[in-house]
């Protein structure tokens, strides 16, 4: 007798759709079978002919603990994740205090262990002087480099140190993850912005311009070519970055884009005001189109949210002191399913970009695919449900979305983590999220 059977599903295998059911034993997928061959189980769930996708792995979230649990905590962040079809998150190190020593990592582990519903892993933060910690590092998804100032003040603005750190990570086979914006340029133009009378959200986006990002991408592409390390470039947002990446991409380089750069542009700044403030900023329609073309072309490896919740009150300040960052974990999958429904994105590409590739890039064991022996992390989506994103329906503690009011067709209805039904048409079942295991832990 199996623990769980999900029958009547259109199962998204990596290369084809299989009509049938998934069998789960001890939290793992133990069978993928035609409906007529399915065994008996303690629990049988009918997917009603809907798609069953591998659970999404969001490799870029800011769950704010320790230090800013008024914005998000691991319980609210987890609820938001599973409501959005996400079964694993990789959390960024710019918490307070930041995750920049082994002790801090252990402290974060203890907090998260008790509160997470979703499975999780951690990115570690590079600083100007934590080489010794990097050398000892294990059980992390990556080491994150903030090349310029953003939320959390964790910037590493020395190319020499970035290069030395890349060499250490190359030895240890741990990926480097970069927020690539050139610090000198960002600071120079932010200072100009301070001098401008009545500076607004549009000025912020204009001053923190494409060249800041492209210049930094150029630098890290070069440094990592020499250091021979694995490099993951976060939230690529401009035509210029894409051109550099196209010329220099090797199997060591992977590229991420966010839903906000795929769906919003400077035109949305009028509507969103300071709520639109994010690093890197919203870009032009030309940039947005180029990102979609790059997805089509296969240049982009991952779509991740950069879920960066901030309370309304910290957005409703003047543009210079307003917090930068957008929440996005609950809306990514519906936004993408809506594109699938419109015929603009293939469902196979969707699962590669949001599940299979993040698992591969961050060396996560037994996740990212519907396959026998893999964790039973999956999400049933109903491609016919059409409804509006509404701030009041969101699980995130910040309770707002830049997509409030958008009508989208295609929504997650049931989310399973290791065979547990955690999200079921709006209701949440509490389970204990567990930390992911890595293929090579570098130790
Ligand atoms: C992020 C945050 O708020 O933590 N903000 C953002 O604008 N993306 C930090 C970051 O990734 O830059
Ligand atoms: Zn981020």
């Amino acid at each position: 007798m199996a623990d769980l059977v999900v029958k009547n599903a259109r199962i998204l295998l990596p290369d084809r759709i299989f009509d049938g059911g998934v069998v789960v034993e001890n939290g793992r997928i133990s069978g993928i079978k035609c409906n007529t061959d399915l065994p008996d189980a303690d629990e049988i769930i009918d997917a009603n002919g809907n798609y069953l996708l591998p659970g999404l792995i969001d490799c870029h979230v800011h769950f704010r603990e320790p230090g800013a649990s008024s914005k998000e905590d691991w319980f609210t962040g987890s609820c938001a994740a599973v409501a959005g079809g996400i079964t694993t998150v990789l959390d960024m190190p710019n918490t307070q205090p930041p995750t920049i020593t082994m002790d801090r990592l252990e402290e974060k582990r203890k907090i998260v262990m008790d509160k997470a519903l979703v499975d999780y892993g951690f990115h570690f933060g590079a600083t100007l002087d934590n080489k010794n910690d990097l050398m000892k590092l294990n059980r992390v998804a990556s080491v994150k480099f903030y090349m310029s100032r953003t939320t959390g003040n964790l910037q590493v603005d020395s190319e020499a140190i970035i290069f030395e750190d890349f060499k250490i990570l190359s030895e240890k086979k741990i990926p480097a993850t970069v927020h690539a914006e050139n610090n000198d340029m960002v600071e120079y133009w932010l200072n100009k912005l301070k001098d401008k009378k009545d500076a607004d959200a549009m000025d912020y986006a204009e001053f923190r311009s494409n060249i800041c990002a492209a210049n930094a991408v150029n630098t890290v592409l070069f440094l990592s070519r020499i250091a021979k390390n694995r490099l993951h470039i976060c939230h690529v947002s401009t035509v210029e970055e894409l051109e550099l990446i196209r010329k220099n991409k090797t199997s060591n380089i992977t590229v991420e884009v966010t839903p906000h750069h795929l769906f919003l542009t400077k035109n949305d700044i009028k509507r969103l005001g300071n709520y639109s403030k994010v690093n890197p900023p919203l870009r032009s329609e030309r940039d947005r189109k180029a990102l979609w073309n790059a997805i089509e072309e296969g240049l982009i490896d991952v779509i991740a949210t950069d879920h960066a919740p901030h309370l309304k009150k910290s957005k409703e300040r003047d543009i210079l002191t307003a917090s930068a960052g957008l929440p996005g974990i609950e809306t990514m999958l519906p936004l993408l399913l809506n594109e699938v429904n419109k015929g603009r994105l293939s469902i196979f590409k969707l699962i590669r970009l949001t599940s299979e590739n993040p698992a591969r890039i961050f060396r996560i064991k037994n996740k990212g695919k519907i396959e026998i022996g893999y964790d039973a992390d999956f999400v049933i989506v109903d491609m016919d449900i059409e409804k509006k994103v509404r701030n009041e329906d969101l699980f995130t503690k910040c309770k707002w979305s830049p997509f409030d009011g958008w009508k989208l067709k295609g929504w997650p209805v049931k989310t399973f983590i290791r065979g547990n039904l955690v999200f079921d048409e709006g209701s949440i079942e509490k389970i204990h999220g567990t930390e992911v295991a890595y293929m090579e832990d570098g130790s």
Side-chain angles (χ1 to χ4, degrees), residues 333-349:
L333 182 55
L335 283 164
L336 295 175
L337 292 175
N338 192 54
E339 293 304 296
V340 173
N341 262 325
K342 285 183 181 157
R344 294 197 211 137
L345 176 69
S346 106
I347 190 92
F348 294 106
K349 192 154 250 182

Side-chain angles (χ1 to χ4, degrees), residues 60-62 92 94 144 146 179 234-235 256 279 306-308:
H60 192 151
V61 309
H62 300 270
M92 284 294 167
N94 62 333
K144 176 77 182 273
Y146 289 94
H179 179 127
C234 295
H235 39 55
E256 166 192 308
N279 299 330
D306 190 8
H307 176 72

Side-chain angles (χ1 to χ4, degrees), residues 15 153 198 202 226 228 276 295 317 343 345 397 431:
D15 53 352
N153 289 335
D198 303 325
M202 185 64 86
I226 311 290
K228 298 189 170 54
S276 70
I295 286 183
R317 298 197 195 123
L345 176 69
K397 216 183 245 188
I431 63 154

Side-chain angles (χ1 to χ4, degrees), residues 30 55 88 90 99 111 155 171 175 182 184 255 260 299 378 407:
S30 61
T88 301
L90 302 180
T99 319
I111 295 170
Q155 71 269 26
E171 288 283 311
N182 180 287
D184 179 50
V255 182
H260 48 272
L299 199 62
F378 41 77
K407 197 190 242 184

Side-chain angles (χ1 to χ4, degrees), residues 297-318:
E297 175 192 344
L299 199 62
I300 307 298
D301 300 283
V302 169
I303 306 178
T305 63
D306 190 8
H307 176 72
H310 291 286
L311 295 180
K312 289 182 180 173
K313 66 171 191 240
S314 69
K315 285 288 188 179
E316 286 169 5
R317 298 197 195 123
D318 69 277

Side-chain angles (χ1 to χ4, degrees), residues 354-387:
T354 57
S355 193
E356 190 176 330
N357 287 351
R360 178 179 49 81
I361 293 165
F362 297 104
R363 304 121 48 238
I364 299 170
K365 258 192 195 158
N366 294 325
K367 291 189 185 289
K369 280 184 216 174
I370 304 294
E371 196 166 295
I372 291 175
Y374 273 53
D375 287 355
D377 299 344
F378 41 77
V379 49
I380 299 174
V381 301
D382 185 332
M383 295 305 284
D384 295 325
I385 293 180
E386 192 168 13
K387 64 175 184 187

